[in-house]
Amino acid sequence: MTLRLHDTATREVRDFVPLEEGKVGIYVCGLTVQSEPHVGHVRSAVNFDVLRRWLSASGYAVHFIRNVTDIDDKILTKAAEQDRPWYNLAYAMHAELTKALASINVLPPTYEPGATGTIPEMVELIEKLIARGHAYVGEDGSGDVYFDVRSWPTYGELTRQGIDDMEPAGDADPRGKRDPRDFALWKGWKKETEPESAAWPSPWGPGRPGWHIECSAMASKYLGPAFDIHGGGVDLRFPHHENEQAQSRAAGMPFASYWLHNAWITTAGEKMSKSLGNSLLVPEVLKRVRGIELRFYIVSAHYRSHVEFSFEALDEAAAGFRRIENFLERVGYASTRPTGIEEMTAEFVAAMDDDLGTPAAMAVVYDLVRDGNRALASDQDARMHARHVEAMLDVLGLHPHDEAWAGAGAGDEKLTSAVDVLITALLEDRATARADRDWARADAIRDRIKAAGIEIEDTPSGPKWSIDNAG
């Protein structure tokens, strides 16, 4: 089966055909490093990490670029509020992002450019747009440069909007614009309110790049004028990706062949964001569950499905993953870690090829685990079941013996993980005893667990354990 992907530009699921046989170029919009990353941020990173892993498993050589916006209005504002240099804030938050992504086994990109390292390429691109008649210098003396949206006939094609139906671009003082929808390519330095370190030389005076031009310059620099896949969160479709595509094509670059967008993780029905104050920082969440369990929670939902976050759902997902983990512990992991599509079932491959259908793919994993447990209960060999499960978890970044997890949560977390596997096995034995109406054996197992200082709570989603801190 050929990999099929939902292309935002055409709004269709279509066959993936790379520009160059055997090679794939992917550009994903990273974060503006203004504060610590929350669960909503890492969802996008995990989703595109799964895409990358699946393409690699399918035999493609993947060149994966994920940028970092390290200069921006928000960064300048946050830094001023904290009375620290903007570059210090950006550097520190970039380090927090790197740590958070490593904690959930997101592979490092082939390269992670920062906006501040690509300014000469941005200036060159803006000059080209001016020469082609698609950009102009504001007449208000601000030093701002704008993209002329009405100069590009297909502006709005990515999101299928007419220019007159769009809201004004609120990224700069509208007095220098020919049309309120024109967006900033370059922002002149505001000497009275901005630090001198946040300005770079240009033909239009000192300043810094607008948000949208950054990604066009970085994508073309590292992937060329035409590349295969551009990804990011669904909230970036407009104006960011619409503007990226328009300015890139207006400069003569074909740009992305496919656009992929992951949906939000919401809380109380609203997008999880810093501004709403309902963000859940990754280190805080990892005090409750392991990194591998958080990743499992994210992977289990389809990348285009909105997820309403709750700790109850996270706990259920963690318990579900521990059942998979327990099965592999009972069988014994393969001496060599199974990898490659040939180690996976046809049903799993078909699910992944269908627009990265991870819910259906995980259903295949659950079925194999169930059949494997039945085989074990009948004293049959379940090693082939386990080998398939390992290979499928591996391509999802969820193999428990992946070395990425070895350093995650060293000490107490590793001990908790080991205890959890043992207790889960006892709880499953207890559940079997209860199903067989062997109440004496079920009570004996419960007493053994309680004697070890562990409290068991029977809930609608299954038994849960916690350390008894009484006394």
Side-chain angles (χ1 to χ4, degrees):
M1 180 177 175
T2 302
L3 173 63
R4 292 171 59 79
L5 297 172
H6 185 275
D7 179 21
T8 304
T10 62
R11 300 186 183 181
E12 296 176 350
V13 177
R14 58 191 185 98
D15 290 353
F16 174 67
V17 180
L19 294 172
E20 185 176 352
E21 186 175 355
K23 297 182 179 180
V24 178
I26 303 176
Y27 183 88
V28 173
C29 286
L31 296 182
T32 298
V33 283
Q34 57 170 311
S35 60
E36 296 88 346
H38 57 59
V39 174
H41 292 139
V42 299
R43 182 192 186 183
S44 181
V46 169
N47 290 155
F48 287 103
D49 186 60
V50 169
L51 170 64
R52 175 189 185 176
R53 290 171 183 265
W54 184 243
L55 287 167
S56 295
S58 301
Y60 292 102
V62 181
H63 199 64
F64 188 93
I65 305 297
R66 185 183 64 232
N67 83 296
V68 167
T69 295
D70 54 358
I71 182 66
D72 180 85
D73 289 344
K74 296 176 181 177
I75 293 174
L76 293 177
T77 299
K78 287 268 187 180
E81 291 172 353
Q82 298 175 24
D83 193 26
R84 64 195 294 191
W86 64 269
Y87 47 83
N88 172 263
L89 173 65
Y91 179 85
M93 294 304 101
H94 188 186
E96 289 297 319
L97 172 63
T98 300
K99 189 188 306 181
L101 296 182
S103 73
I104 52 174
N105 197 15
V106 173
L107 296 172
T110 307
Y111 189 63
E112 189 175 40
T116 55
T118 325
I119 294 208
E121 289 80 5
M122 297 178 203
V123 170
E124 182 180 347
L125 182 54
I126 295 170
E127 288 181 309
K128 183 178 291 186
L129 288 168
I130 292 174
R132 285 172 169 248
H134 298 298
Y136 60 93
V137 180
E139 298 178 357
D140 57 352
S142 63
D144 294 346
V145 181
Y146 302 102
F147 183 85
D148 184 349
V149 296
R150 294 192 183 274
S151 74
W152 188 243
T154 58
Y155 183 70
E157 64 180 340
L158 182 64
T159 51
R160 300 189 182 185
Q161 299 183 79
I163 291 178
D164 292 330
D165 297 326
M166 297 178 184
E167 293 183 356
D171 56 357
D173 191 327
R175 289 176 294 184
K177 299 182 179 184
R178 296 174 182 171
D179 186 290
R181 267 76 49 149
D182 293 348
F183 56 88
L185 301 172
W186 186 261
K187 295 186 174 184
W189 179 41
K190 300 174 181 62
K191 185 176 181 179
E192 297 77 14
T193 59
E194 296 178 350
E196 189 174 358
S197 59
W200 286 261
S202 81
W204 320 287
R208 56 189 169 83
W211 178 31
H212 314 300
I213 199 69
E214 297 176 3
C215 288
S216 288
M218 287 185 275
S220 60
K221 178 176 181 177
Y222 296 103
L223 295 175
F227 57 94
D228 297 294
I229 298 172
H230 194 314
V234 68
D235 53 317
L236 299 180
R237 288 177 62 241
F238 186 88
H240 188 49
H241 289 167
E242 185 72 72
N243 293 349
E244 269 191 74
Q245 177 169 279
Q247 66 196 9
S248 298
R249 293 186 174 174
M253 298 185 290
F255 212 53
S257 298
Y258 297 77
W259 288 87
L260 270 62
H261 291 94
N262 66 277
W264 294 336
I265 290 182
T266 58
T267 52
E270 296 183 89
K271 173 192 171 188
M272 187 179 291
S273 68
K274 310 178 191 74
S275 59
L276 288 175
N278 60 0
S279 59
L280 293 167
L281 302 182
V282 174
E284 292 301 311
V285 175
L286 294 184
K287 291 178 181 178
R288 186 182 185 109
V289 297
R290 294 176 293 154
I292 198 169
E293 293 165 347
L294 176 57
R295 183 179 176 104
F296 177 75
Y297 170 72
I298 296 170
V299 167
S300 296
H302 193 273
Y303 77 93
R304 288 192 292 111
S305 298
H306 287 291
V307 174
E308 176 68 17
F309 182 88
S310 71
F311 279 114
E312 291 76 16
L314 178 61
D315 288 342
E316 288 180 12
F321 182 76
R322 290 195 291 270
R323 287 192 288 272
I324 297 172
E325 205 170 17
N326 179 57
F327 165 68
L328 294 175
E329 293 284 351
R330 293 173 68 194
V331 176
Y333 289 92
S335 56
T336 57
R337 203 162 91 200
T339 58
I341 285 182
E342 66 277 0
E343 297 275 11
M344 306 170 198
T345 68
E347 294 81 4
F348 181 90
V349 173
M352 292 297 291
D353 274 345
D354 185 14
D355 194 31
L356 301 179
T358 53
M362 287 310 310
V364 175
V365 173
Y366 277 128
D367 287 345
L368 271 174
V369 170
R370 184 188 63 243
D371 293 345
N373 279 324
R374 287 175 177 170
L376 289 174
S378 303
D379 295 324
Q380 297 176 11
D381 191 346
R383 284 178 294 179
M384 187 53 68
H385 296 80
R387 190 168 184 86
H388 288 318
V389 169
E390 284 191 63
M392 294 185 286
L393 291 180
D394 193 71
V395 80
L396 297 172
L398 290 167
H399 195 293
H401 281 191
D402 191 318
E403 62 183 17
W405 305 119
D412 290 346
E413 188 174 331
K414 289 184 72 177
L415 177 61
T416 301
S417 175
V419 171
D420 184 74
V421 169
L422 295 173
I423 293 175
T424 299
L426 288 172
L427 290 175
E428 290 188 351
D429 287 344
R430 175 172 171 260
T432 300
R434 295 179 71 179
D436 294 340
R437 296 180 178 276
D438 188 346
W439 309 117
R441 180 163 166 258
D443 290 344
I445 293 172
R446 184 186 182 101
D447 290 343
R448 281 177 60 195
I449 296 174
K450 191 169 184 178
I454 305 296
E455 281 294 315
I456 301 298
E457 178 187 3
D458 290 310
T459 73
S461 60
K464 296 182 179 180
W465 69 269
S466 61
I467 296 176
D468 183 3
N469 292 314

